[in-house]
Amino acid sequence: ATHGGFATSKHLTPAADAKPFRMYIGSLERSFPVDTARQMGQILADAGHPTDLVVIPFQTHWFYDSGPKIAEDAWAWFSAL
């Protein structure tokens, strides 16, 4: 699970045991635009990783206030795998 950032396709190779991937990004994120996160999600999916993008409305890169709620959601997601 990630917050904000991304990697380019040159950093990924298809894997036989590709792990699921979840990205959290704010709709008002400026450092890593939502469209870039969507592109990254597609790159991950193309490499075989089941990918889930969670866009948080009105959220910027400042996750310190909402971090505990995001962490709770991420742990629930991990537990459901």
Side-chain angles (χ1 to χ4, degrees):
T2 68
H3 149 234
F6 65 96
T8 63
S9 59
K10 70 180 179 180
H11 294 110
L12 300 170
T13 57
D17 62 344
K19 305 296 186 229
F21 199 88
R22 179 173 259 199
M23 297 181 287
Y24 293 87
I25 194 162
S27 66
L28 301 178
E29 172 69 66
R30 293 186 188 268
S31 299
F32 305 99
V34 173
D35 286 344
T36 301
R38 284 193 179 102
Q39 291 170 3
M40 184 61 218
Q42 187 60 55
I43 290 167
L44 286 163
D46 291 347
H49 296 271
T51 304
D52 187 25
L53 174 65
V54 178
V55 179
I56 304 165
F58 308 109
Q59 179 71 51
T60 65
H61 194 75
W62 184 265
F63 274 75
Y64 300 102
D65 296 331
S66 57
K69 183 176 178 184
I70 294 166
E72 181 180 337
D73 184 74
W75 280 114
W77 178 76
F78 280 123
S79 296
L81 295 177

PDB file of all heavy atoms in Angstrom, residues 4-10 12 21 23 25 32-47 49 51-53 55:
ATOM      1  N   GLY A   4       0.602   8.433  -2.073  1.00  0.00           N
ATOM      2  CA  GLY A   4       1.128   9.459  -2.957  1.00  0.00           C
ATOM      3  C   GLY A   4       2.054   8.992  -4.057  1.00  0.00           C
ATOM      4  O   GLY A   4       1.741   9.161  -5.208  1.00  0.00           O
ATOM      5  N   GLY A   5       3.180   8.422  -3.733  1.00  0.00           N
ATOM      6  CA  GLY A   5       4.237   8.191  -4.709  1.00  0.00           C
ATOM      7  C   GLY A   5       3.962   7.116  -5.747  1.00  0.00           C
ATOM      8  O   GLY A   5       2.946   6.451  -5.724  1.00  0.00           O
ATOM      9  N   PHE A   6       4.917   6.974  -6.634  1.00  0.00           N
ATOM     10  CA  PHE A   6       4.761   6.005  -7.711  1.00  0.00           C
ATOM     11  C   PHE A   6       6.134   5.596  -8.219  1.00  0.00           C
ATOM     12  O   PHE A   6       7.139   6.201  -7.897  1.00  0.00           O
ATOM     13  CB  PHE A   6       3.923   6.574  -8.850  1.00  0.00           C
ATOM     14  CG  PHE A   6       4.576   7.729  -9.552  1.00  0.00           C
ATOM     15  CD1 PHE A   6       5.299   7.514 -10.709  1.00  0.00           C
ATOM     16  CD2 PHE A   6       4.473   9.025  -9.062  1.00  0.00           C
ATOM     17  CE1 PHE A   6       5.910   8.576 -11.365  1.00  0.00           C
ATOM     18  CE2 PHE A   6       5.079  10.083  -9.710  1.00  0.00           C
ATOM     19  CZ  PHE A   6       5.802   9.860 -10.862  1.00  0.00           C
ATOM     20  N   ALA A   7       6.147   4.550  -9.028  1.00  0.00           N
ATOM     21  CA  ALA A   7       7.375   4.101  -9.692  1.00  0.00           C
ATOM     22  C   ALA A   7       7.073   4.014 -11.180  1.00  0.00           C
ATOM     23  O   ALA A   7       5.922   3.862 -11.578  1.00  0.00           O
ATOM     24  CB  ALA A   7       7.789   2.730  -9.160  1.00  0.00           C
ATOM     25  N   THR A   8       8.098   4.098 -11.972  1.00  0.00           N
ATOM     26  CA  THR A   8       7.890   4.000 -13.416  1.00  0.00           C
ATOM     27  C   THR A   8       7.917   2.542 -13.852  1.00  0.00           C
ATOM     28  O   THR A   8       8.379   1.669 -13.116  1.00  0.00           O
ATOM     29  CB  THR A   8       8.976   4.778 -14.178  1.00  0.00           C
ATOM     30  OG1 THR A   8      10.238   4.180 -13.893  1.00  0.00           O
ATOM     31  CG2 THR A   8       8.985   6.246 -13.782  1.00  0.00           C
ATOM     32  N   SER A   9       7.457   2.279 -15.064  1.00  0.00           N
ATOM     33  CA  SER A   9       7.391   0.910 -15.560  1.00  0.00           C
ATOM     34  C   SER A   9       8.768   0.267 -15.648  1.00  0.00           C
ATOM     35  O   SER A   9       8.879  -0.958 -15.562  1.00  0.00           O
ATOM     36  CB  SER A   9       6.690   0.869 -16.915  1.00  0.00           C
ATOM     37  OG  SER A   9       7.373   1.658 -17.850  1.00  0.00           O
ATOM     38  N   LYS A  10       9.818   1.049 -15.781  1.00  0.00           N
ATOM     39  CA  LYS A  10      11.158   0.465 -15.864  1.00  0.00           C
ATOM     40  C   LYS A  10      11.577  -0.168 -14.538  1.00  0.00           C
ATOM     41  O   LYS A  10      12.520  -0.935 -14.487  1.00  0.00           O
ATOM     42  CB  LYS A  10      12.185   1.499 -16.319  1.00  0.00           C
ATOM     43  CG  LYS A  10      12.495   2.582 -15.309  1.00  0.00           C
ATOM     44  CD  LYS A  10      13.531   3.549 -15.855  1.00  0.00           C
ATOM     45  CE  LYS A  10      13.817   4.645 -14.837  1.00  0.00           C
ATOM     46  NZ  LYS A  10      14.787   5.588 -15.320  1.00  0.00           N
ATOM     47  N   LEU A  12       9.510  -2.079 -12.777  1.00  0.00           N
ATOM     48  CA  LEU A  12       8.642  -3.233 -12.546  1.00  0.00           C
ATOM     49  C   LEU A  12       8.840  -4.293 -13.608  1.00  0.00           C
ATOM     50  O   LEU A  12       9.011  -3.985 -14.782  1.00  0.00           O
ATOM     51  CB  LEU A  12       7.171  -2.792 -12.561  1.00  0.00           C
ATOM     52  CG  LEU A  12       6.777  -1.763 -11.512  1.00  0.00           C
ATOM     53  CD1 LEU A  12       5.384  -1.235 -11.798  1.00  0.00           C
ATOM     54  CD2 LEU A  12       6.840  -2.375 -10.127  1.00  0.00           C
ATOM     55  N   PHE A  21      -1.745  -4.679  -4.820  1.00  0.00           N
ATOM     56  CA  PHE A  21      -1.180  -3.357  -4.566  1.00  0.00           C
ATOM     57  C   PHE A  21      -2.325  -2.380  -4.380  1.00  0.00           C
ATOM     58  O   PHE A  21      -3.258  -2.357  -5.186  1.00  0.00           O
ATOM     59  CB  PHE A  21      -0.329  -2.951  -5.771  1.00  0.00           C
ATOM     60  CG  PHE A  21       0.654  -1.866  -5.495  1.00  0.00           C
ATOM     61  CD1 PHE A  21       1.918  -2.156  -5.019  1.00  0.00           C
ATOM     62  CD2 PHE A  21       0.318  -0.550  -5.724  1.00  0.00           C
ATOM     63  CE1 PHE A  21       2.844  -1.147  -4.781  1.00  0.00           C
ATOM     64  CE2 PHE A  21       1.229   0.465  -5.490  1.00  0.00           C
ATOM     65  CZ  PHE A  21       2.496   0.159  -5.016  1.00  0.00           C
ATOM     66  N   MET A  23      -3.150   1.784  -3.636  1.00  0.00           N
ATOM     67  CA  MET A  23      -2.608   3.135  -3.571  1.00  0.00           C
ATOM     68  C   MET A  23      -3.665   4.074  -2.994  1.00  0.00           C
ATOM     69  O   MET A  23      -4.829   4.016  -3.394  1.00  0.00           O
ATOM     70  CB  MET A  23      -2.232   3.626  -4.971  1.00  0.00           C
ATOM     71  CG  MET A  23      -1.146   2.815  -5.624  1.00  0.00           C
ATOM     72  SD  MET A  23      -0.694   3.446  -7.273  1.00  0.00           S
ATOM     73  CE  MET A  23      -2.124   2.957  -8.222  1.00  0.00           C
ATOM     74  N   ILE A  25      -4.455   8.107  -2.536  1.00  0.00           N
ATOM     75  CA  ILE A  25      -4.048   9.425  -3.021  1.00  0.00           C
ATOM     76  C   ILE A  25      -5.202  10.406  -2.818  1.00  0.00           C
ATOM     77  O   ILE A  25      -6.370  10.032  -2.936  1.00  0.00           O
ATOM     78  CB  ILE A  25      -3.597   9.365  -4.494  1.00  0.00           C
ATOM     79  CG1 ILE A  25      -2.862  10.644  -4.886  1.00  0.00           C
ATOM     80  CG2 ILE A  25      -4.753   9.061  -5.418  1.00  0.00           C
ATOM     81  CD1 ILE A  25      -2.029  10.494  -6.132  1.00  0.00           C
ATOM     82  N   PHE A  32       1.886  14.264  -6.740  1.00  0.00           N
ATOM     83  CA  PHE A  32       1.644  13.069  -7.537  1.00  0.00           C
ATOM     84  C   PHE A  32       0.200  13.119  -8.019  1.00  0.00           C
ATOM     85  O   PHE A  32      -0.708  12.672  -7.316  1.00  0.00           O
ATOM     86  CB  PHE A  32       1.873  11.802  -6.706  1.00  0.00           C
ATOM     87  CG  PHE A  32       3.233  11.754  -6.079  1.00  0.00           C
ATOM     88  CD1 PHE A  32       3.413  12.114  -4.756  1.00  0.00           C
ATOM     89  CD2 PHE A  32       4.335  11.352  -6.816  1.00  0.00           C
ATOM     90  CE1 PHE A  32       4.665  12.075  -4.169  1.00  0.00           C
ATOM     91  CE2 PHE A  32       5.590  11.315  -6.238  1.00  0.00           C
ATOM     92  CZ  PHE A  32       5.760  11.671  -4.916  1.00  0.00           C
ATOM     93  N   PRO A  33      -0.062  13.696  -9.189  1.00  0.00           N
ATOM     94  CA  PRO A  33      -1.428  13.860  -9.670  1.00  0.00           C
ATOM     95  C   PRO A  33      -2.196  12.537  -9.773  1.00  0.00           C
ATOM     96  O   PRO A  33      -1.597  11.477 -10.002  1.00  0.00           O
ATOM     97  CB  PRO A  33      -1.249  14.483 -11.056  1.00  0.00           C
ATOM     98  CG  PRO A  33       0.118  15.092 -11.036  1.00  0.00           C
ATOM     99  CD  PRO A  33       0.928  14.220 -10.127  1.00  0.00           C
ATOM    100  N   VAL A  34      -3.488  12.604  -9.580  1.00  0.00           N
ATOM    101  CA  VAL A  34      -4.343  11.420  -9.628  1.00  0.00           C
ATOM    102  C   VAL A  34      -4.189  10.702 -10.973  1.00  0.00           C
ATOM    103  O   VAL A  34      -4.130   9.464 -11.011  1.00  0.00           O
ATOM    104  CB  VAL A  34      -5.817  11.786  -9.347  1.00  0.00           C
ATOM    105  CG1 VAL A  34      -6.727  10.589  -9.552  1.00  0.00           C
ATOM    106  CG2 VAL A  34      -5.965  12.324  -7.930  1.00  0.00           C
ATOM    107  N   ASP A  35      -4.104  11.437 -12.066  1.00  0.00           N
ATOM    108  CA  ASP A  35      -3.932  10.786 -13.374  1.00  0.00           C
ATOM    109  C   ASP A  35      -2.639   9.974 -13.430  1.00  0.00           C
ATOM    110  O   ASP A  35      -2.602   8.889 -14.012  1.00  0.00           O
ATOM    111  CB  ASP A  35      -3.942  11.810 -14.505  1.00  0.00           C
ATOM    112  CG  ASP A  35      -5.333  12.357 -14.780  1.00  0.00           C
ATOM    113  OD1 ASP A  35      -6.323  11.744 -14.335  1.00  0.00           O
ATOM    114  OD2 ASP A  35      -5.424  13.409 -15.446  1.00  0.00           O
ATOM    115  N   THR A  36      -1.585  10.473 -12.799  1.00  0.00           N
ATOM    116  CA  THR A  36      -0.331   9.736 -12.743  1.00  0.00           C
ATOM    117  C   THR A  36      -0.498   8.465 -11.913  1.00  0.00           C
ATOM    118  O   THR A  36       0.016   7.405 -12.274  1.00  0.00           O
ATOM    119  CB  THR A  36       0.787  10.611 -12.149  1.00  0.00           C
ATOM    120  OG1 THR A  36       0.927  11.780 -12.964  1.00  0.00           O
ATOM    121  CG2 THR A  36       2.111   9.874 -12.090  1.00  0.00           C
ATOM    122  N   ALA A  37      -1.237   8.556 -10.818  1.00  0.00           N
ATOM    123  CA  ALA A  37      -1.507   7.369  -9.997  1.00  0.00           C
ATOM    124  C   ALA A  37      -2.309   6.341 -10.793  1.00  0.00           C
ATOM    125  O   ALA A  37      -2.058   5.139 -10.695  1.00  0.00           O
ATOM    126  CB  ALA A  37      -2.249   7.759  -8.728  1.00  0.00           C
ATOM    127  N   ARG A  38      -3.269   6.805 -11.574  1.00  0.00           N
ATOM    128  CA  ARG A  38      -4.040   5.880 -12.420  1.00  0.00           C
ATOM    129  C   ARG A  38      -3.132   5.194 -13.436  1.00  0.00           C
ATOM    130  O   ARG A  38      -3.251   3.986 -13.675  1.00  0.00           O
ATOM    131  CB  ARG A  38      -5.163   6.622 -13.133  1.00  0.00           C
ATOM    132  CG  ARG A  38      -6.320   6.945 -12.228  1.00  0.00           C
ATOM    133  CD  ARG A  38      -7.559   7.388 -13.026  1.00  0.00           C
ATOM    134  NE  ARG A  38      -8.630   7.645 -12.088  1.00  0.00           N
ATOM    135  CZ  ARG A  38      -9.004   8.860 -11.689  1.00  0.00           C
ATOM    136  NH1 ARG A  38      -8.403   9.930 -12.176  1.00  0.00           N
ATOM    137  NH2 ARG A  38      -9.967   9.008 -10.816  1.00  0.00           N
ATOM    138  N   GLN A  39      -2.228   5.948 -14.039  1.00  0.00           N
ATOM    139  CA  GLN A  39      -1.278   5.355 -14.986  1.00  0.00           C
ATOM    140  C   GLN A  39      -0.398   4.327 -14.288  1.00  0.00           C
ATOM    141  O   GLN A  39      -0.143   3.246 -14.831  1.00  0.00           O
ATOM    142  CB  GLN A  39      -0.410   6.444 -15.622  1.00  0.00           C
ATOM    143  CG  GLN A  39      -1.168   7.354 -16.553  1.00  0.00           C
ATOM    144  CD  GLN A  39      -0.329   8.558 -16.982  1.00  0.00           C
ATOM    145  OE1 GLN A  39       0.837   8.687 -16.635  1.00  0.00           O
ATOM    146  NE2 GLN A  39      -0.946   9.449 -17.743  1.00  0.00           N
ATOM    147  N   MET A  40       0.051   4.647 -13.083  1.00  0.00           N
ATOM    148  CA  MET A  40       0.865   3.704 -12.319  1.00  0.00           C
ATOM    149  C   MET A  40       0.074   2.448 -12.000  1.00  0.00           C
ATOM    150  O   MET A  40       0.597   1.331 -12.075  1.00  0.00           O
ATOM    151  CB  MET A  40       1.345   4.377 -11.032  1.00  0.00           C
ATOM    152  CG  MET A  40       2.284   3.526 -10.214  1.00  0.00           C
ATOM    153  SD  MET A  40       3.770   3.133 -11.139  1.00  0.00           S
ATOM    154  CE  MET A  40       4.023   1.470 -10.606  1.00  0.00           C
ATOM    155  N   GLY A  41      -1.186   2.616 -11.655  1.00  0.00           N
ATOM    156  CA  GLY A  41      -2.045   1.461 -11.396  1.00  0.00           C
ATOM    157  C   GLY A  41      -2.153   0.557 -12.613  1.00  0.00           C
ATOM    158  O   GLY A  41      -2.119  -0.672 -12.491  1.00  0.00           O
ATOM    159  N   GLN A  42      -2.248   1.150 -13.785  1.00  0.00           N
ATOM    160  CA  GLN A  42      -2.321   0.360 -15.007  1.00  0.00           C
ATOM    161  C   GLN A  42      -1.006  -0.369 -15.273  1.00  0.00           C
ATOM    162  O   GLN A  42      -0.996  -1.535 -15.683  1.00  0.00           O
ATOM    163  CB  GLN A  42      -2.684   1.238 -16.200  1.00  0.00           C
ATOM    164  CG  GLN A  42      -2.938   0.461 -17.476  1.00  0.00           C
ATOM    165  CD  GLN A  42      -4.081  -0.533 -17.310  1.00  0.00           C
ATOM    166  OE1 GLN A  42      -5.179  -0.165 -16.927  1.00  0.00           O
ATOM    167  NE2 GLN A  42      -3.811  -1.802 -17.566  1.00  0.00           N
ATOM    168  N   ILE A  43       0.110   0.303 -15.011  1.00  0.00           N
ATOM    169  CA  ILE A  43       1.422  -0.337 -15.172  1.00  0.00           C
ATOM    170  C   ILE A  43       1.537  -1.533 -14.230  1.00  0.00           C
ATOM    171  O   ILE A  43       1.995  -2.605 -14.622  1.00  0.00           O
ATOM    172  CB  ILE A  43       2.552   0.687 -14.927  1.00  0.00           C
ATOM    173  CG1 ILE A  43       2.593   1.705 -16.071  1.00  0.00           C
ATOM    174  CG2 ILE A  43       3.899  -0.011 -14.763  1.00  0.00           C
ATOM    175  CD1 ILE A  43       3.454   2.921 -15.790  1.00  0.00           C
ATOM    176  N   LEU A  44       1.110  -1.354 -12.985  1.00  0.00           N
ATOM    177  CA  LEU A  44       1.134  -2.461 -12.032  1.00  0.00           C
ATOM    178  C   LEU A  44       0.229  -3.599 -12.486  1.00  0.00           C
ATOM    179  O   LEU A  44       0.607  -4.769 -12.419  1.00  0.00           O
ATOM    180  CB  LEU A  44       0.711  -1.974 -10.647  1.00  0.00           C
ATOM    181  CG  LEU A  44       1.733  -1.142  -9.895  1.00  0.00           C
ATOM    182  CD1 LEU A  44       1.074  -0.379  -8.763  1.00  0.00           C
ATOM    183  CD2 LEU A  44       2.833  -2.036  -9.370  1.00  0.00           C
ATOM    184  N   ALA A  45      -0.968  -3.265 -12.949  1.00  0.00           N
ATOM    185  CA  ALA A  45      -1.905  -4.288 -13.429  1.00  0.00           C
ATOM    186  C   ALA A  45      -1.316  -5.032 -14.623  1.00  0.00           C
ATOM    187  O   ALA A  45      -1.416  -6.260 -14.715  1.00  0.00           O
ATOM    188  CB  ALA A  45      -3.243  -3.656 -13.779  1.00  0.00           C
ATOM    189  N   ASP A  46      -0.687  -4.298 -15.528  1.00  0.00           N
ATOM    190  CA  ASP A  46      -0.064  -4.923 -16.695  1.00  0.00           C
ATOM    191  C   ASP A  46       1.073  -5.860 -16.289  1.00  0.00           C
ATOM    192  O   ASP A  46       1.384  -6.812 -17.004  1.00  0.00           O
ATOM    193  CB  ASP A  46       0.471  -3.864 -17.663  1.00  0.00           C
ATOM    194  CG  ASP A  46      -0.632  -3.078 -18.351  1.00  0.00           C
ATOM    195  OD1 ASP A  46      -1.815  -3.493 -18.288  1.00  0.00           O
ATOM    196  OD2 ASP A  46      -0.310  -2.025 -18.938  1.00  0.00           O
ATOM    197  N   ALA A  47       1.705  -5.589 -15.144  1.00  0.00           N
ATOM    198  CA  ALA A  47       2.776  -6.445 -14.634  1.00  0.00           C
ATOM    199  C   ALA A  47       2.221  -7.602 -13.798  1.00  0.00           C
ATOM    200  O   ALA A  47       2.975  -8.362 -13.215  1.00  0.00           O
ATOM    201  CB  ALA A  47       3.769  -5.625 -13.810  1.00  0.00           C
ATOM    202  N   HIS A  49      -0.019  -7.346 -11.132  1.00  0.00           N
ATOM    203  CA  HIS A  49      -0.423  -7.024  -9.763  1.00  0.00           C
ATOM    204  C   HIS A  49      -1.884  -6.589  -9.721  1.00  0.00           C
ATOM    205  O   HIS A  49      -2.242  -5.581 -10.340  1.00  0.00           O
ATOM    206  CB  HIS A  49       0.430  -5.877  -9.205  1.00  0.00           C
ATOM    207  CG  HIS A  49       1.872  -6.204  -9.076  1.00  0.00           C
ATOM    208  ND1 HIS A  49       2.395  -6.779  -7.951  1.00  0.00           N
ATOM    209  CD2 HIS A  49       2.901  -6.048  -9.952  1.00  0.00           C
ATOM    210  CE1 HIS A  49       3.695  -6.962  -8.125  1.00  0.00           C
ATOM    211  NE2 HIS A  49       4.025  -6.533  -9.333  1.00  0.00           N
ATOM    212  N   THR A  51      -4.558  -4.394  -8.636  1.00  0.00           N
ATOM    213  CA  THR A  51      -4.319  -3.029  -8.161  1.00  0.00           C
ATOM    214  C   THR A  51      -5.619  -2.331  -7.811  1.00  0.00           C
ATOM    215  O   THR A  51      -6.613  -2.439  -8.520  1.00  0.00           O
ATOM    216  CB  THR A  51      -3.572  -2.228  -9.249  1.00  0.00           C
ATOM    217  OG1 THR A  51      -2.374  -2.931  -9.579  1.00  0.00           O
ATOM    218  CG2 THR A  51      -3.215  -0.850  -8.762  1.00  0.00           C
ATOM    219  N   ASP A  52      -5.578  -1.603  -6.707  1.00  0.00           N
ATOM    220  CA  ASP A  52      -6.731  -0.850  -6.225  1.00  0.00           C
ATOM    221  C   ASP A  52      -6.264   0.575  -5.940  1.00  0.00           C
ATOM    222  O   ASP A  52      -5.283   0.770  -5.216  1.00  0.00           O
ATOM    223  CB  ASP A  52      -7.263  -1.514  -4.955  1.00  0.00           C
ATOM    224  CG  ASP A  52      -8.551  -0.919  -4.450  1.00  0.00           C
ATOM    225  OD1 ASP A  52      -9.304  -0.335  -5.250  1.00  0.00           O
ATOM    226  OD2 ASP A  52      -8.815  -1.045  -3.244  1.00  0.00           O
ATOM    227  N   LEU A  53      -6.934   1.549  -6.517  1.00  0.00           N
ATOM    228  CA  LEU A  53      -6.616   2.955  -6.281  1.00  0.00           C
ATOM    229  C   LEU A  53      -7.738   3.571  -5.459  1.00  0.00           C
ATOM    230  O   LEU A  53      -8.895   3.529  -5.855  1.00  0.00           O
ATOM    231  CB  LEU A  53      -6.462   3.701  -7.609  1.00  0.00           C
ATOM    232  CG  LEU A  53      -6.263   5.212  -7.514  1.00  0.00           C
ATOM    233  CD1 LEU A  53      -4.946   5.550  -6.818  1.00  0.00           C
ATOM    234  CD2 LEU A  53      -6.303   5.845  -8.900  1.00  0.00           C
ATOM    235  N   VAL A  55      -8.996   7.034  -4.137  1.00  0.00           N
ATOM    236  CA  VAL A  55      -8.871   8.491  -4.239  1.00  0.00           C
ATOM    237  C   VAL A  55      -9.727   9.097  -3.124  1.00  0.00           C
ATOM    238  O   VAL A  55     -10.929   8.873  -3.068  1.00  0.00           O
ATOM    239  CB  VAL A  55      -9.322   9.005  -5.626  1.00  0.00           C
ATOM    240  CG1 VAL A  55      -9.194  10.521  -5.689  1.00  0.00           C
ATOM    241  CG2 VAL A  55      -8.507   8.348  -6.737  1.00  0.00           C
TER     242      VAL A  55
END
